[in-house]
Amino acid sequence: MNTIFKTFKIILYCMISILMLCCKNEKSGLLTIYVDTDAETPLALSEITSSLDSVKLELTDKSLIKNPFRIVCTDDYILVVETKAMMLFDRSGKFIRQIGSIGQGPGEFTGIWDATIDTKENKISLITHGLKRMCYDFNGNLLTEYQSVSSAPINNLYFVNNRLLLLCETPVKQNDIRKNETYLYTLTSDLKDIDTIFIRSIDHKGIWLHPYKDFITHDGEKTYLYYSDISKNCFLIDTLFQLNNKDVVANLHMDFKNKGLSPNGEKEINIFTIYRNSRYVFAFYNAKNQYYYFCHDTKTGKSYNMKDGYKDDIYTGEKVKIRPLNSDANQFYFLHTEIDDTTLEEPNPTLYIGRLKK
């Protein structure tokens, strides 16, 4: 009986999904891209890259790079963000200074949720684990610090199209039912809330730390939002949205094989990110404990599904994991540590910055 119920649930889910998708396609021309999770079709970086530059990041006793989760670049600086440190380099890779320090006093933080650079005001902005909002200048001087009134445990910070945006997720109770609610805030340059957009409310199946934070991207004309759910909810969030002022509008749908569900009706795929520019659509996901990178070329209609990354046939000759740079969907970056037989001490990784073909 339980098996029959699960089978019925899958059929019902698929029928609803297809009906919704057909309605969207008829009414809005929503782009739908099929993802065959069983296929493995490699893609070399040279096929999608118009330029790729390398920057060797200097290693000192204060600039050891361990586990960066965010890289932000300006015309003059490279900011490497880790949970316990922010390191500032110039564009040639020479280490300049650390920004801020660990502690519980003024100007200090116990950990970093996220950080970005406000290139309009020339500030480094961050949200701390203690939910402090802080700004520094490039000399490391503290400009702004105050305690956020929000209790949201997950915070993601972006500077996109000359706007500071904060994406927050927090657990709430609605009629004794636990939910995770997500909001998008527009901030002033000193990190004060000035506008709010409600994004979604889903059943609370735990709050999960995400390996990447590439949820908001911009392609020079349009701003996109994809916020994943990697909890145990038995459905996929597989739609990329576009931000139009205060409206959040569906832009494209990723049609994963079997809707990402196992024969038992359980989710067997976790999508970490979906983003796009005018030509390419990218996704990063996990299927059956294996990481995959997906790329669809809207110009040629070809799709590529790669296990563990893209083949770097320009510099390293190895598989690499690319991410959008500065939330710019027209640029990407990856890190690669180069070691040979003469290396006595493991160096800092080299930063590679690429631009996509048009």
Side-chain angles (χ1 to χ4, degrees):
M1 187 71 180
N2 191 39
T3 302
I4 295 174
F5 175 74
K6 287 182 177 179
T7 303
F8 174 75
K9 183 170 69 171
I10 295 173
I11 294 173
L12 181 62
Y13 173 83
C14 293
M15 290 176 63
I16 293 173
S17 298
I18 292 170
L19 179 61
M20 290 179 66
L21 183 55
C22 291
C23 292
K24 286 179 180 177
N25 280 333
E26 290 175 2
K27 293 182 179 180
S28 62
L30 188 69
L31 175 64
T32 300
I33 299 171
Y34 178 68
V35 183
D36 184 354
T37 54
D38 293 330
E40 188 171 348
T41 47
L43 176 62
L45 274 187
S46 62
E47 295 185 46
I48 62 173
T49 302
S50 63
S51 65
L52 184 63
D53 300 317
S54 64
V55 182
K56 190 171 181 59
L57 300 173
E58 181 185 18
L59 175 63
T60 72
D61 58 350
K62 293 184 178 181
S63 67
L64 175 61
I65 297 174
K66 300 176 182 177
N67 295 297
F69 64 80
R70 179 80 79 194
I71 304 286
V72 188
C73 295
T74 70
D75 291 340
D76 301 312
Y77 300 107
I78 298 169
L79 181 69
V80 177
V81 185
E82 298 186 339
T83 302
K84 298 291 185 180
M86 290 189 295
M87 291 161 278
L88 191 67
F89 300 80
D90 68 19
R91 283 305 296 255
S92 70
K94 181 176 176 57
F95 176 66
I96 301 174
R97 64 178 56 86
Q98 287 198 1
I99 302 295
S101 59
I102 292 294
Q104 297 183 345
E108 298 176 331
F109 45 78
T110 56
I112 301 171
W113 268 123
D114 206 357
T116 190
I117 294 177
D118 180 342
T119 55
K120 187 177 180 181
E121 300 293 334
N122 289 320
K123 295 179 179 180
I124 298 170
S125 305
L126 68 146
I127 308 291
T128 75
H129 283 181
L131 299 182
K132 287 198 296 186
R133 300 185 182 186
M134 307 172 73
C135 295
Y136 295 88
D137 64 20
F138 292 116
N139 292 318
N141 299 312
L142 180 66
L143 303 176
T144 301
E145 177 182 24
Y146 70 94
Q147 189 70 36
S148 173
V149 295
S150 169
S151 61
I154 293 183
N155 295 268
N156 305 282
L157 192 61
Y158 307 86
F159 185 74
V160 175
N161 198 22
N162 284 325
R163 291 192 301 163
L164 268 173
L165 300 175
L166 178 64
L167 188 66
C168 296
E169 181 178 15
T170 187
V172 297
K173 262 193 175 183
Q174 298 177 356
N175 300 322
D176 293 327
I177 299 175
R178 298 188 72 189
K179 298 280 187 178
N180 287 347
E181 289 190 346
T182 305
Y183 292 87
L184 179 65
Y185 298 89
T186 301
L187 309 180
T188 64
S189 62
D190 59 355
L191 303 178
K192 301 285 187 180
D193 301 348
I194 56 174
D195 201 3
T196 309
I197 301 175
F198 174 75
I199 301 299
R200 73 177 187 209
S201 177
I202 61 175
D203 288 345
H204 177 83
K205 301 288 185 178
I207 292 249
W208 301 83
L209 296 180
H210 199 284
Y212 295 135
K213 295 174 174 285
D214 304 320
F215 303 132
I216 297 178
T217 54
H218 186 72
D219 69 356
E221 295 182 0
K222 300 173 183 178
T223 302
Y224 299 100
L225 167 68
Y226 174 78
Y227 189 51
S228 64
D229 171 41
I230 54 176
S231 71
K232 295 182 179 180
N233 282 308
C234 59
F235 56 84
L236 277 185
I237 295 178
D238 50 15
T239 301
L240 177 69
F241 292 89
Q242 182 179 334
L243 299 177
N244 292 331
N245 297 319
K246 295 200 69 171
D247 295 324
V248 182
V249 182
N251 180 268
L252 68 83
H253 171 75
M254 304 289 285
D255 182 17
F256 282 81
K257 187 175 182 178
N258 299 324
K259 307 304 175 187
L261 300 179
S262 70
N264 293 326
E266 298 176 349
K267 185 169 65 175
E268 61 179 6
I269 291 176
N270 282 312
I271 308 171
F272 298 122
T273 187
I274 300 171
Y275 66 97
R276 69 170 299 180
N277 65 8
S278 60
R279 177 170 177 176
Y280 300 103
V281 178
F282 298 96
F284 170 45
Y285 69 96
N286 180 288
K288 301 175 182 177
N289 297 316
Q290 178 66 56
Y291 290 106
Y292 288 91
Y293 290 78
F294 177 85
C295 175
H296 176 78
D297 187 341
T298 62
K299 188 174 181 178
T300 64
K302 293 182 179 179
S303 293
Y304 306 86
N305 195 52
M306 297 147 282
K307 187 183 293 186
D308 295 327
Y310 298 74
K311 176 64 180 295
D312 175 19
D313 58 339
I314 303 173
Y315 277 105
T316 69
E318 300 180 12
K319 286 188 175 182
V320 296
K321 302 169 175 59
I322 69 172
R323 295 177 58 185
L325 179 69
N326 298 351
S327 299
D328 181 354
N330 298 309
Q331 297 187 83
F332 66 87
Y333 79 90
F334 64 88
L335 294 168
H336 181 266
T337 303
E338 298 166 355
I339 302 176
D340 57 34
D341 295 337
T342 65
T343 303
L344 298 178
E345 180 182 29
E346 182 173 329
N348 267 342
T350 298
L351 172 66
Y352 292 88
I353 299 175
R355 180 164 289 276
L356 295 167
K357 292 180 179 178
K358 294 183 179 180

